[in-house]
C-alpha cells in the first residue's frame, strides 16, 4: 500500500534505550529530537534515572538534543528540568514548523538529525515531512488517553503493511 509509506518509520525498535547513539554519531548524526510521553517515559511520568542517563550519555558523545512535544509547557519543562536538554512545547506535530525550528536551535539539518517517537501519525509523519530520519519505538506503557488509543488502532493497520513490506510479521504488543 504505497499511499501508507509516508507514515513508515525508517527504523522500528522496541525501545529508545536500545538505539546505538555512538554508532549513529560516527555515521554523521549530530542532533536528536525526541517525543517524551511513551517514548522516553510512560505518559505524564517525570524523568527517571534511565532517561537522565540517556541525555547525559548523548551530551558525552557530542549530540545536540531537543524535546518536541504537543504537551503544554508545565509537562515538558518538568521533564526537561531533569534531563537538561532544550524543548519546544505545544509543537503542533505533525506540522513541520517546529521540527525545522528544532534543527535551527540545535545547529543541525535534516541530514544530520534523527527523530525518535512512539506515534506514526504525529511523530513519524511530521519527521518524514521535514526530511528527518524517523525511529519509531513501541509505546512504553499501554495506558493512554482515549484519543491516542483510537489512533493506535489505525497505526496497527499501517504497521501491518510496514512489516509486510519489510518481510516482518511480528505481532504488536
Amino acid at each position: 500500500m504505497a499511499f501508507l509509506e509516508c507514515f513508515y518509520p525508517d527504523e522500528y525498535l522496541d525501545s529508545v534505550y536500545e538505539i546505538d547513539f555512538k554508532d549513529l554519531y560516527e555515521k554523521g548524526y549530530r542532533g536528536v529530537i525526541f517525543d517524551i510521553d511513551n517514548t522516553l517515559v510512560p505518559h505524564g511520568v517525570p524523568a527517571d534515572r534511565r532517561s537522565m542517563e540517556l541525555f547525559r550519555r548523548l551530551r558525552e558523545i557530542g549530540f545536540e538534543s531537543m524535546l518536541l512535544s504537543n504537551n503544554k509547557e508545565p509537562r515538558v519543562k518538568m521533564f526537561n528540568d531533569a534531563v537538561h536538554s532544550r524543548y519546544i512545547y505545544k509543537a503542533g506535530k505533525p506540522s513541520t514548523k517546529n521540527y525545522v525550528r528544532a534543527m535551527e536551535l540545535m545547529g543541525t539539518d535534516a541530514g544530520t538529525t534523527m527523530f525518535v517517537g512512539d506515534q506514526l501519525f504525529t511523530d513519524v509523519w511530521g519527521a518524514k515531512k521535514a526530511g528527518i530520519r524517523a525511529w519509531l519505538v513501541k509505546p512504553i506503557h499501554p495506558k493512554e488517553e482515549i484519543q491516542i488509543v483510537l489512533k493506535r488502532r489505525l497505526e496497527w493497520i499501517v504497521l501491518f503493511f510496514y512489516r509486510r513490506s519489510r518481510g516482518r510479521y511480528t505481532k504488536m504488543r
Side-chain angles (χ1 to χ4, degrees), residues 1-117:
M1 296 223 143
F3 72 95
L4 294 177
E5 289 180 10
C6 65
F7 302 111
Y8 289 2
D10 296 296
E11 301 291 336
Y12 182 32
L13 302 169
D14 287 335
S15 169
V16 66
Y17 299 103
E18 67 182 49
I19 298 173
D20 186 345
F21 287 102
K22 189 168 194 242
D23 179 61
L24 291 166
Y25 190 86
E26 290 169 1
K27 290 179 178 172
Y29 289 94
R30 296 297 179 261
V32 187
I33 304 171
F34 292 99
D35 176 52
I36 300 170
D37 288 322
N38 256 345
T39 297
L40 295 163
V41 293
H43 188 81
V45 171
D48 57 13
R49 183 174 304 155
R50 187 167 64 161
S51 59
M52 289 184 277
E53 173 60 21
L54 172 63
F55 282 84
R56 185 202 61 74
R57 200 170 77 243
L58 289 170
R59 284 188 295 277
E60 187 178 275
I61 292 169
F63 271 104
E64 294 291 327
S65 66
M66 178 71 65
L67 301 171
L68 188 66
S69 176
N70 285 346
N71 267 308
K72 295 177 182 170
E73 187 173 24
R75 163 62 180 139
V76 180
K77 184 179 183 320
M78 173 189 63
F79 186 87
N80 188 61
D81 285 347
V83 299
H84 310 291
S85 184
R86 285 181 251 172
Y87 65 89
I88 297 173
Y89 63 96
K90 291 175 75 173
K93 296 180 288 183
S95 168
T96 60
K97 175 184 171 191
N98 284 311
Y99 289 87
V100 171
R101 179 76 180 126
M103 289 186 285
E104 289 170 356
L105 290 169
M106 292 189 299
T108 62
D109 59 36
T112 60
T113 304
M114 58 183 287
F115 182 89
V116 183

